[in-house]
Structures are given as C-alpha cells and as structure tokens.
C-alpha cells in the first residue's frame, strides 16, 4: 500500500519557518522545509491538520502557534464533529488543529495523534481514481465530496476535499494562483496529480 513519508513546504526563510514550527507544534520529522521564492497568491489549495485527543490540546497548540506568530483564521470552537480551530503560519501554510472529543479527560499533553494533508481538488472522483491507480487504498469516501486514504504505517494521512469546500473550512477565499509550495514524498511517486500537486519518490531506507 502506498504511503506518504514526508511533506516539504516551500518557504522564503527556512530558518524562520523552522523556528516557528518548533515553537508552535514541536519538532516533527515528517515536516521538511525548502527555500523557495516560487510565486503564489491566495489559497494554495491545501491544508494540514493536526488531530489531537481533547480540546485542551487544541487550545494549547493553537495558543503556542499564535504566540509564535501565526495568524488566526478561525477561533477554536465546538462543532457537530468535535472541537477545533484554524491558523495560518507566517510562511502562508494553513493549519487546522482539531479533536473529535468535546470534553477534556485531563490536562493538555501536547501530543499530536495524526497529521492529515488535505488537498483541495477540482474533481474528487477523478482525483480519487488517479490516486487509486497509483496504489493508494481508500478508507473513507463520501461521494464527490471527500475521500480519505488508508495511512497504514504512514506518519501522514492523505485526504481529498473539493477546493471550495476546503477553503471554506479553512476560513479563506478559494481564489489563488501560482505554486502550491508543497512537495509530497512517498513510495507512489514521482508524479504530478491532476490539480498540480507534485510527488517525489520517498528516500530509500537506510540499510544497516
């Protein structure tokens, strides 16, 4: 089964971005940074979500991100699905922090349970077929609205959402042009998907 090894964000200042992410979310080996001045405006067509176990962890991570310099897009609130909020990192990447729980069971732990990469696509059904043809297995599918792929041992989950719906969920306009400023590394690559998201081959495992 195909998997995602890591996600690389193209940023103007990798040192500043690394400082932000370490302060906001802690060190994470699945997130890589690369210097780039690729032109981009508006919504980049994707979001990254951090799934945590309880509202206290949402508040803790949101607070740390805002203190480190993030811009609030949606304050953390309760919803039908649970509790969560959205921030935009100084490099422009949109992050959602959420939990399916509506009540705390203890103090915040700071632990991140899952990282989910949500790609905003023009045609969910067509993109679903594209990824299935490249070895990804579907774990959840809601017609032409939303598709989630099985992660297996992958540290990053992949999901597809309609671009306009994803932008609305993030609290931004769906309009945007230029680079996605995103590179996905996995064993299904290298390729570029129908919406212009680029994949590269995962780095080979080190042999003892």
């Amino acid at each position: 089964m195909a998997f995602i090894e890591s996600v690389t964000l193209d940023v103007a200042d990798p040192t500043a971005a690394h400082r932000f992410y370490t302060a906001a979310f802690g060190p994470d080996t699945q997130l890589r940074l690369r210097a780039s001045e690729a032109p981009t405006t508006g919504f980049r067509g994707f979001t990254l979500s951090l799934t945590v176990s309880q509202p206290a962890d949402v508040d803790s991570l949101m607070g740390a991100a805002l203190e480190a310099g993030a811009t609030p897009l949606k304050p953390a609130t309760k919803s039908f699905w649970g509790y969560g909020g959205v921030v935009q990192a100084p490099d422009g990447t949109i992050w959602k922090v959420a939990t399916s729980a509506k009540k705390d069971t203890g103090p915040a732990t700071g632990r991140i349970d899952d990282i989910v990469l949500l790609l905003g696509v023009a045609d969910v059904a067509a993109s679903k077929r594209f990824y299935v043809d490249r070895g990804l297995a579907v774990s959840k599918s809601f017609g032409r609205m939303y598709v989630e792929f099985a992660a297996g041992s992958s540290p990053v989950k992949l999901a597809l959402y309609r671009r306009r719906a994803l932008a609305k969920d993030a609290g931004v306009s769906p309009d945007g042009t230029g680079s996605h400023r995103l590179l996905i590394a996995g064993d299904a690559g290298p390729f570029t998907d129908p919406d212009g998201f680029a994949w590269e081959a995962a780095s080979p495992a080190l042999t003892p």
Side-chain angles (χ1 to χ4, degrees), residues 143-168:
R144 295 180 173 272
M145 293 286 295
Y146 176 84
V147 173
E148 187 176 297
F149 296 97
S153 60
S154 174
V156 182
K157 290 183 177 180
L158 177 68
L160 309 176
Y161 207 8
R162 289 189 302 181
R163 181 185 172 97
R164 283 189 169 276
L166 182 60
K168 182 178 180 181

Side-chain angles (χ1 to χ4, degrees), residues 3 5 32 202-208:
F3 73 98
E5 179 189 67
R32 298 175 182 175
S203 56
L206 298 176
T207 53

